[in-house]
Amino acid sequence: MEQLLQNIIFPQSSALEGNYELFYLGGRGIYDMEQKKLRLADTSVTDFCSYMNSFSLIKWKEYTAVGPVRLVLELSGRGQVELVGYHLNIHSPVRQTFGVYDFDFADEQELDIPFPENGEMVIGFEIRALSDVTVYGGAWYGSYEEGQRRDVVLSIATTTMKKEDFITRNMAALKEDILDADDDMKENFYIHVVDNGRTLDAKAMNSWHLTVHPNKNTGGSGGYARGMIESLEQDPPATHVLLMDDDVTIQPESVRRTYHLLSYLRDEYKDSFISGAMLLYEEMQFQHEDVGAIRDACTLTSLKGLFDMTEKRSLLKNEEEGCGYGHRYAGWWYCCIPAHMIREKGLPLPLFIRFDDVEFGLRCKPKFVTMNGICIWHMGFAGKYNLAMDRYQMCRNPLVVDAVGSMPSTVNAPDYVRKAFRSELLKFNYNAAELILRAFKDFLRGPDFFQIDQGEKIIKENVQKNEKYQPMNNWPDIEVNFVEIYEDFDRKPLETLWYRITYNGQRLWPFGTLKKGMIPVFFSDVYQPGRYVGHDAMLAVNVDNRTAVERHMDKNRYRALKREWDQAYRYYRRNRSSIVKSYQDAKPYLVSTEFWKKYLEI
């Protein structure tokens, strides 16, 4: 039995066309977006062993029992197709060739090429034009034995909050390319748009297999919980739920490849999450992450690091199994979850926003399936430091995750929050310290606090604490090196001792500052004690958008915040066992359909 596994695709937007090397390399050609065909000039050589159009043989063989593979191309003109494959020799790509096939077509015709059996990581093809050549499309096909195909009902659950342009564009693309097309998956494909902002015209958007659900603004956690519930209760129920962010650019082909992967997964991968990669919207050739991990320091990281997906080395390294971190998760910008895992493990915790995807991955402990070409584009996070999110949500929520028992034992969330509070006091960022204190005290309120629908209210209050950055030219007399500002300075032993005893001059020190002038520092949660020591004023600089804000020592605010923190932390240490028990006892209810239906009022 033969199955179409991947289509050969071309960029379907001007932004992606500007990054055409994700689709093909070498001779650029001229792409007709309306007629969806690529014209290649005489004597040009175009390489389709690219991020979007190569065939990840190593992954298809690992995740499925695929047999012989063949390539079908729709072409006109005269030229040659050369079959190629690549593997890594430690870090260097090694190219192999598997034959050259001539074609000479006056009109559009199919060229059907069986790909020889081989052990390469990825395989692809190059077209050498011996006249003007037009490529109309093509596909990779794989062979499977009868009975290997699984019954799959795939449901997309995307939650949106006033991102109408993104969501309507993405839904239109999925409708055109899958639901309204002659596609064998469309009967088993559903879309649920959870509208937290209630700004979409549901009547206008609703159509066959696409439903908009107006929803309370319960954050990403509530939106995805609603999408999961709708997917599990649709008729027929989804076998897999694909969680997708709203402010992303998608390729419908990524969804199609996800569906075909699910249809032939080996038994050992039936519980796996398919984790689509996040590429940067502002630099579209760069992959930010496909699988994430949590460090022992309670910080999050990409498992593989930043890859330029127009380079062969990155293309191949990306198909290797990531290593170095054992505690992994899949970001919910594109994460496909088996429905039986949701029924078994439950719905998200009501964290409103941030860390809900991390907790779910840590709770389920799945294997992760990744593949070149299964991806979305999302705006990167550089320059987007936000106290309401990064100092309240990202301190409170790890404490909850730790208390319910999902956090790895090597990760000490309370110690992370304690150090975060201390670092903000030392850099005179009192608003940030206040939000961390609020996060800690709200956590101490126990699980009942999270059963109250107040996430939007909390965010609105906390946003008022965000610093007001101004253009850098407001400080013409302060010299800022935008490269070196990432670096810290060395401290002398006596400076370190003074810094620790006096909390950088905020206690037990009635004298003036040790150093004169305002010191430039990096703006986010980066800790630079060598820069801070001895100064009573700092200029926090956002390098990405060339803005800054002043921070000044305020001993009264320091004393008030420190006193309140010490009281709260003493309470936590005395009552830790009972606090943790209350969260663990409440967890089954907090992730249940019963709780979420009541919370969402559905």
Side-chain angles (χ1 to χ4, degrees):
M1 179 178 69
E2 195 170 61
Q3 172 66 53
L4 186 155
L5 298 178
Q6 295 183 194
N7 286 304
I8 304 301
I9 62 171
F10 306 117
Q12 292 301 310
S13 69
S14 57
L16 286 172
E17 192 172 12
N19 292 271
Y20 71 95
E21 289 182 319
L22 289 166
F23 299 82
Y24 48 90
L25 303 97
R28 178 173 183 176
I30 300 173
Y31 181 59
D32 186 327
M33 202 173 298
E34 185 175 334
Q35 297 189 25
K36 298 184 179 180
K37 58 186 180 182
L38 178 67
R39 296 185 176 91
L40 305 177
D42 185 8
T43 73
S44 65
V45 178
T46 306
D47 179 6
F48 287 85
C49 194
S50 62
Y51 178 69
M52 293 303 303
N53 285 320
S54 62
F55 188 84
S56 295
L57 189 61
I58 188 173
K59 289 291 185 76
W60 280 104
K61 285 185 174 181
E62 170 68 20
Y63 300 142
T64 78
V66 67
V69 174
R70 68 185 177 95
L71 171 67
V72 176
L73 295 174
E74 298 160 16
L75 305 162
S76 66
R78 185 168 66 90
Q80 296 175 326
V81 174
E82 184 170 12
L83 303 184
V84 297
Y86 287 86
H87 65 271
L88 281 172
N89 180 9
I90 305 179
H91 297 297
S92 301
V94 178
R95 180 178 182 271
Q96 301 284 351
T97 61
F98 296 96
V100 177
Y101 295 80
D102 296 314
F103 64 92
D104 189 355
F105 302 147
D107 300 306
E108 178 183 350
Q109 293 187 42
E110 280 192 357
L111 180 65
D112 193 327
I113 309 174
F115 212 105
E117 285 291 325
N118 65 88
E120 298 301 310
M121 294 179 69
V122 301
I123 56 176
F125 63 97
E126 299 170 4
I127 295 179
R128 185 177 296 110
L130 302 178
S131 72
D132 289 347
V133 169
T134 300
V135 184
Y136 301 90
W140 293 99
Y141 291 81
S143 299
Y144 293 90
E145 294 181 4
E146 293 292 336
Q148 288 184 325
R149 186 182 180 98
R150 298 177 181 274
D151 292 330
V152 172
V153 178
L154 177 61
S155 169
I156 285 182
T158 180
T159 181
T160 183
M161 178 65 182
K162 299 180 180 179
K163 301 283 179 62
E164 295 87 354
D165 289 346
F166 277 101
I167 203 74
T168 53
R169 182 167 62 246
N170 288 336
M171 295 309 103
L174 290 169
K175 274 176 58 65
E176 178 184 356
D177 215 60
I178 299 177
L179 290 178
D180 294 342
D182 183 18
D183 196 295
D184 63 355
M185 70 173 280
K186 69 179 183 179
E187 296 291 338
N188 299 310
F189 179 57
Y190 295 79
I191 303 173
H192 296 280
V193 179
V194 180
D195 181 16
N196 278 356
R198 301 194 178 204
T199 56
L200 297 175
D201 187 343
K203 287 186 178 180
M205 287 187 66
N206 286 346
S207 59
W208 183 71
H209 285 202
L210 192 160
T211 308
V212 175
H213 305 276
N215 200 52
K216 295 170 60 179
N217 184 18
T218 49
S221 305
Y224 286 124
R226 175 73 183 272
M228 290 178 179
I229 291 170
E230 297 292 347
S231 298
L232 298 185
E233 295 186 351
Q234 70 185 34
D235 184 19
T239 62
H240 297 81
V241 183
L242 172 53
L243 305 182
M244 187 182 293
D245 216 339
D246 58 346
D247 54 345
V248 299
T249 293
I250 65 168
Q251 288 280 350
E253 176 64 18
S254 293
V255 178
R256 185 179 290 107
R257 293 178 189 181
T258 299
Y259 179 83
H260 293 320
L261 256 181
L262 294 171
S263 298
Y264 292 97
L265 280 179
R266 295 180 186 270
D267 284 344
E268 55 263 42
Y269 286 101
K270 65 182 177 62
D271 297 336
S272 300
F273 291 7
I274 295 182
S275 183
M278 172 187 154
L279 279 70
L280 299 178
Y281 187 80
E282 57 270 47
E283 295 180 275
M284 300 185 90
Q285 78 272 28
F286 286 104
Q287 178 179 292
H288 167 74
E289 177 179 306
D290 62 0
V291 175
I294 184 167
R295 301 184 180 101
D296 288 350
C298 200
T299 55
L300 306 179
T301 186
S302 167
L303 190 63
K304 297 176 181 175
L306 193 70
F307 280 159
D308 182 346
M309 300 314 302
T310 63
E311 296 179 351
K312 284 291 191 295
R313 180 180 179 275
S314 294
L315 188 76
L316 298 168
K317 293 290 288 184
N318 200 43
E319 296 300 55
E320 292 184 326
E321 179 67 23
C323 59
Y325 299 97
H327 309 300
R328 304 177 183 184
Y329 66 92
W332 282 358
W333 46 72
Y334 190 111
C335 177
C336 187
I337 303 169
H340 70 266
M341 291 289 282
I342 299 172
R343 293 189 182 96
E344 177 186 340
K345 301 293 185 179
L347 297 164
L349 282 171
L351 301 177
F352 194 78
I353 192 170
R354 298 290 176 91
F355 230 81
D356 44 2
D357 51 358
V358 179
E359 187 278 331
F360 198 82
L362 296 175
R363 188 199 319 170
C364 295
K365 298 180 177 63
K367 294 179 181 178
F368 294 99
V369 168
T370 64
M371 184 178 287
N372 286 336
I374 297 180
C375 65
I376 53 85
W377 284 266
H378 190 291
M379 288 295 292
F381 306 119
K384 291 186 176 180
Y385 187 69
N386 180 313
L387 295 185
M389 298 294 178
D390 295 287
R391 275 333 205 188
Y392 178 83
Q393 300 292 138
M394 289 299 287
C395 284
R396 185 197 68 179
N397 293 351
L399 291 168
V400 177
V401 173
D402 181 62
V404 299
S406 296
M407 194 72 82
S409 60
T410 55
V411 179
N412 189 333
D415 192 56
Y416 162 76
V417 175
R418 180 185 63 81
K419 289 178 178 177
F421 177 79
R422 178 178 179 272
S423 73
E424 298 298 352
L425 286 183
L426 289 165
K427 64 178 76 168
F428 311 146
N429 194 354
Y430 301 110
N431 281 3
E434 185 178 334
L435 288 177
I436 295 171
L437 175 61
R438 180 180 185 180
F440 191 64
K441 293 178 72 174
D442 284 350
F443 160 71
L444 295 179
R445 297 176 192 272
D448 289 350
F449 176 80
F450 293 88
Q451 297 184 40
I452 303 169
D453 178 17
Q454 55 189 334
E456 184 176 25
K457 173 177 173 290
I458 290 171
I459 291 290
K460 287 180 178 179
E461 292 171 354
N462 289 345
V463 164
Q464 303 306 311
K465 298 293 182 181
N466 284 342
E467 295 175 298
K468 307 299 189 291
Y469 283 77
Q470 302 295 325
M472 273 297 303
N473 56 20
N474 287 0
W475 294 272
D477 298 330
I478 297 180
E479 181 178 338
V480 177
N481 186 312
F482 292 110
V483 175
E484 294 180 357
I485 198 168
Y486 294 96
E487 302 171 2
D488 198 12
F489 299 152
D490 292 331
R491 285 182 294 174
K492 298 175 182 177
L494 284 178
E495 286 182 328
T496 300
L497 181 63
W498 177 88
Y499 181 81
R500 291 174 177 173
I501 291 174
T502 70
Y503 249 82
N504 201 15
Q506 296 176 99
R507 68 175 187 179
L508 306 175
W509 188 257
F511 310 107
T513 57
L514 298 181
K515 300 177 182 179
K516 302 298 182 183
M518 183 179 294
I519 181 72
V521 300
F522 194 67
F523 76 110
S524 70
D525 56 357
V526 173
Y527 184 53
Q528 300 172 304
R531 284 182 177 268
Y532 310 150
V533 62
H535 290 275
D536 66 354
M538 304 176 195
L539 185 68
V541 178
N542 184 332
V543 174
D544 294 290
N545 58 24
R546 298 296 197 265
T547 59
V549 67
E550 294 184 15
R551 296 172 182 165
H552 294 270
M553 183 190 296
D554 185 335
K555 293 183 179 181
N556 290 330
R557 284 200 75 185
Y558 161 79
R559 282 192 288 267
L561 288 167
K562 186 67 165 59
R563 182 168 54 250
E564 196 171 351
W565 171 268
D566 289 343
Q567 291 173 351
Y569 203 76
R570 282 195 298 270
Y571 175 85
Y572 168 73
R573 294 185 67 178
R574 288 195 305 267
N575 298 279
R576 182 181 184 279
S577 295
S578 61
I579 292 169
V580 168
K581 185 177 185 303
S582 70
Y583 275 100
Q584 292 184 351
D585 289 346
K587 178 185 174 182
Y589 178 63
L590 291 177
V591 300
S592 69
T593 302
E594 177 189 359
F595 162 74
W596 274 110
K597 284 191 171 183
K598 180 180 178 182
Y599 191 84
L600 296 169
E601 299 177 357
I602 57 175

